[in-house]
Amino acid sequence: MIPSFLKNKFLKKRIFKAPVATDSTAETATDSAAIKPYANAPINKLYRKLSGQLLDVAVKPKLLGELPEFDNDDQTIRFYVLQDYSRSNSILIDLQTQEHKLPPALVGVYDAAHDIKENAAIIFLNHPHAKDSQLSPRLSRLVSAVLQNPELKVHLVPVSILWGRAPEKEDSLFKLLTADNWQDPSITKQLFNIGVMGRDTFVQFHPPQDLRTLINSHLSGDVEGPAIFDSVATDTQKTAPTNTHPDLSTQADKLPSYALVAAADSNRELVRSLQQQLSTYLDKQRASMLGPDLSDRRNLVDKLVYSPAIKHAIEMEAVETGTSVREARSQARGYANEMVNDYSHSIIRGFYKFLTWLWTQLYDGVEVHHFERVRDLATDYELIYVPCHRSHVDYLLLSYVIYKRGLSIPYVAAGDNLDVPVLGPLLRGAVAFYIRRSFRGNALYTAVLREYMHTLITRNTPIEYFIEGGRSRSGRLLPPKMGMLAMTVHSQLRQTNKPVVFIPTYIGYERIMEGGTYIGELKGKPKESESLIGLLKVGRKIERIFGNVHLSFGTPLHLTEFMKKFDVPASSLPSDRTDSPLDEKTSAMVDNIGVKIMQHINKAAVVTPVSLLSLVLLSAPKAALDENSCREQIALYQGLAQQLAYSDDTVITDMTPQQIIDYGIKLKLIERTPHILGDIIQVAGKQAALLSYFRNNILHVFILLSFLSALVARNGRIKRSRLDSIAEQLYPFLQSELFLYYPAHGLAETLNKKVDSLLAHGLIVELGDGVLSVPESNSKSYQQLQALATPVGQSLERYFMTLALLAQQGSGNLTENEVVDLCHLLGQRLSVLYADDIPDFFDRALFTSFIGALTRLDYLQKDDAGVLTFDHRINDIAHHAKYVLTPDMMQILQQVASLDEEEITHAITEISNKKQRKFGLKR
């Protein structure tokens, strides 16, 4: 047995000196080829086993991401690529490959056909034995083998090993102690990692990369690369085309088959380039998992306050307010201290362990969809997560999912209402930076916040903010707030580091902690302030089961693509100012991004069992169906959603209808009432209002089908051309309310596909000459059509009631706020009298959205005082309601909206007094 140090020395000489092919060297080569691989020697098998058992006791690594997928090609040789050499890393990877049944790492790789004899399947990019300008010896040998053997397949699997996931502190002693370098890691460092970080170790296997593809990519991008590759291939194939490197060709002809071309300068450059490419890849992966180095919070506040942009803002504040620069700077420092995050890895670890326990107590599972698209972008883009906002749990849940899957945790913009004793500091140490709910007119606060956002973005810190501004109380998406979005764009136009990409994220619950509170607030109860007592009240619900929760990551939106679309140049704002205004084009771009984000969130919706049940039962009279009809209606909705998917990103539950019913009973949302003629499925007591929340989560998926069904059902017969005309008139309002992504200019094609789907399911009948009709009135299909036509009704009823109010009061008599307030009151009254008291019917946000759509489409005009004016076209829109709403409902809405001048004055006065009392309490 040859000692290890002699064998390594021999192999090193054999590779890099590339001896001339004489009889003696050929004989030496034959002898060396017969050497038994080092890792297969009995003593080293024992070493591998014992060291693995010892390390397994001290180190409990956690796997991040997905395991690599290997094909079944036995001819492919696979090597794991690590950035830095250490014995502990080698053993750790070997243990992981054994545990997950991957090709072993510390077993020799022997391929006699291609003269490959390696004592382990690991490549260290920074190897202590590296010579020749610090090239990895094993990578050099493999590159040469691939160049000389066109049929050879070598796959490299980069692997990241994190001994702890705490982002490093800038200029910290800990960073110096644990810093990696080119030298062989000391025993002290390895023992430190094992002893201190062993229980906080993470391993991630990245997708395999074909070495030949990497080589070809390099050569195709280099002027001399193709000639080098051709010369090697020519030598292997024993042909003699023109060669731009005659000296190399002549020498290669004299070499034995195992001789490596790595001795040539050209090949050294190739290996160096590949090594740098792999090293950069692993650096980026590490950065995406850890985030940027941290600056001490106090230092970060100082950097903010003394940055050129804030110094200018402080000077302007001093001039405008008449205070001294010192006082203005102190105020700016106070603002910075209010908002700046105080990241603590110990708090992060504590939260991770606590939340791992909490989710198992609350939920049956956390389902994540389409996360791979986020991982693909994490290394090269500045990630801005823009989720919908359903619950306070959103903050923790999204961060938990991201962290668990191996990416750096984002900094979350949280309202300062959450900065309460005990909870506030914990969230600040974990994920939150706090911002005021309103700071309009406060130029200095705005400047500090913009500069802090700019600092985070230029340091490549992932960021998360809720673009709706607050939690949705109705289950629908709220109109986007553009403030944080505009700040993100502003930062990117000041200075570009990594391109910004927005990650729209759908969050869907099957039960929600704040459900009762939301219903109360929609009915007029004052909003409860966040406090520790409120948190403890929520904690009392932990023993309840809330079903599954779903996170679905939508199609990313690249800021650079919007900049091209709107012709907004990069670096168009000065880098040292925060008060540079966005021009008209950029403002239009921000508005467009906001709408697209909301549309992409809805495209990523998850049609859960609970949301599907809610849609079916709330469309039935008395919210009840016999069990067989309930199963059939669920199956119908599943079939409609799957046959003509709302989007490729939309996820449909794969439960059977019976499983969905049983699941709803388990969650105590519905109940089964036994009956001799067949069991009845109905909404459980006082759960109808809550179920409307979950129905609204997916209403956009079925709204056009419901709208078309209503047009056919209410009219009995209708021509396709008439259907298209009515839809064209009313679609913009449905699009605005539900953030539908179908463009108006292609609506006819979309409608035709929806109609064809209804025809295919037998819900409507085509009579010829473009006439559509309902099925036979006593048929099952007719009943299903009537149920499908129900969901769109509430939206159209709100529209008609608002239009009736405007028409009755006349143009120029009401402001926008007065119309919204009056509609809210009318909706409350109507809901109690006629609509089973479903609170989302009178949600202020929905009336605001409708008025906004009317204004945007120029049906309404608003003067400087906010007074609304309009013409006869308001009545034209209301005229279309008769095609969708029943005559009885139209009469009810007309009566409810008929208010005389005295009633209007009294209502407006009461609303104004209520708002003043509410504002006084807040102050």
Side-chain angles (χ1 to χ4, degrees), residues 265-319:
D265 291 340
S266 52
N267 256 36
R268 282 200 299 272
E269 288 303 316
L270 172 60
V271 175
R272 183 178 291 108
S273 175
L274 294 176
Q275 184 167 313
Q276 180 61 40
Q277 182 179 346
L278 290 167
S279 183
T280 301
Y281 176 85
L282 287 171
D283 281 339
K284 288 182 176 181
Q285 295 296 333
R286 180 182 178 86
S288 72
M289 290 186 278
L290 295 183
D293 287 356
L294 296 179
S295 177
D296 178 78
R297 185 172 187 270
R298 185 176 62 181
N299 291 334
L300 181 55
V301 169
D302 286 340
K303 289 177 182 178
L304 281 176
V305 172
Y306 288 99
S307 66
I310 299 304
K311 287 175 68 176
H312 172 79
I314 288 171
E315 293 169 0
M316 295 297 296
E317 179 75 8
V319 171

Side-chain angles (χ1 to χ4, degrees), residues 97 158 243 327 357 467 500 641 893:
T97 56
N243 194 331
E327 290 173 329
W357 168 82
I467 193 170
V500 165
L893 293 171

Side-chain angles (χ1 to χ4, degrees), residues 441-461:
N442 190 334
L444 185 57
Y445 184 92
T446 302
V448 174
L449 179 55
R450 281 183 175 176
E451 186 64 16
Y452 181 51
M453 282 284 291
H454 183 61
T455 300
L456 294 178
I457 290 173
T458 53
R459 289 168 62 87
N460 305 322
T461 305

Side-chain angles (χ1 to χ4, degrees), residues 101 138 151 324 366 430 626 787:
K101 296 180 173 55
R138 184 163 290 150
E151 75 286 356
S324 67
V366 178
D626 72 80

Side-chain angles (χ1 to χ4, degrees), residues 235 529 585 620 644 715 896 898:
D235 175 63
S529 299
K585 287 191 302 183
L644 190 60
N715 294 278
V896 170
S898 297

Side-chain angles (χ1 to χ4, degrees), residues 621-880:
K622 304 298 183 181
L625 287 169
D626 72 80
E627 187 161 356
N628 187 55
S629 296
C630 187
R631 282 195 299 266
E632 291 175 346
Q633 198 73 10
I634 291 171
L636 171 66
Y637 284 22
Q638 280 183 301
L640 288 168
Q642 291 167 351
Q643 182 188 47
L644 190 60
Y646 181 76
S647 165
D648 291 340
D649 289 346
T650 306
V651 179
I652 313 294
T653 177
D654 58 0
M655 281 188 180
T656 66
Q658 187 61 56
Q659 288 173 333
I660 289 174
I661 292 173
D662 294 340
Y663 189 64
I665 294 173
K666 171 189 170 185
L667 294 181
K668 300 181 180 180
L669 294 171
I670 63 173
E671 55 192 17
R672 178 186 285 115
T673 303
H675 193 276
I676 192 171
L677 297 179
D679 292 352
I680 303 297
I681 301 298
Q682 61 186 357
V683 174
K686 298 183 180 181
Q687 295 295 326
L690 182 60
L691 287 182
S692 70
Y693 184 95
F694 302 113
R695 175 200 61 190
N696 293 340
N697 288 172
I698 63 164
L699 193 57
H700 62 282
V701 175
F702 297 94
I703 197 67
L704 281 187
L705 289 168
S706 179
F707 180 52
L708 296 172
S709 298
L711 282 172
V712 178
R714 302 295 180 259
N715 294 278
R717 295 183 180 183
I718 188 171
K719 284 193 171 185
R720 279 203 181 206
S721 58
R722 186 62 179 152
L723 183 149
D724 290 344
S725 174
I726 298 171
E728 183 180 350
Q729 187 83 32
L730 296 180
Y731 174 73
F733 308 114
L734 291 172
Q735 183 184 36
S736 177
E737 177 184 332
L738 296 172
F739 296 100
L740 306 178
Y741 77 93
Y742 307 114
H745 59 78
L747 184 61
E749 182 181 354
T750 300
L751 294 177
N752 283 334
K753 292 180 180 179
K754 300 290 184 182
V755 169
D756 291 342
S757 181
L758 294 174
L759 288 168
H761 283 83
L763 297 177
I764 59 176
V765 179
E766 191 161 24
L767 300 179
D769 296 327
V771 177
L772 303 173
S773 172
V774 297
E776 293 291 334
S777 58
N778 60 350
S779 66
K780 179 177 66 177
S781 296
Y782 181 82
Q783 299 302 322
Q784 290 180 328
L785 177 68
Q786 294 293 334
L788 184 57
T790 301
V792 75
Q794 282 193 5
S795 295
L796 298 176
E797 289 164 10
R798 276 193 305 273
Y799 301 162
F800 182 78
M801 185 177 70
T802 306
L803 296 171
L805 177 67
L806 287 168
Q808 194 230 6
Q809 298 302 317
S811 175
N813 290 320
L814 295 174
T815 66
E816 179 180 357
N817 289 335
E818 288 172 346
V819 171
V820 171
D821 289 337
L822 288 170
C823 286
H824 174 68
L825 288 178
L826 295 175
Q828 280 182 323
R829 184 176 182 82
L830 182 67
S831 179
V832 172
L833 293 175
Y834 304 105
D836 297 327
D837 200 19
I838 299 297
D840 72 289
F841 182 83
F842 46 86
D843 185 3
R844 288 179 187 274
L846 300 178
F847 293 110
T848 301
S849 172
F850 182 54
I851 296 296
L854 288 170
T855 304
R856 187 174 62 256
L857 295 170
D858 201 37
Y859 289 105
L860 293 177
Q861 296 79 41
K862 184 166 55 175
D863 63 19
D864 294 339
V867 176
L868 298 175
T869 58
F870 50 87
D871 55 28
H872 65 89
R873 292 176 299 158
I874 287 291
N875 292 323
D876 294 340
I877 302 174
H879 176 72
H880 287 92

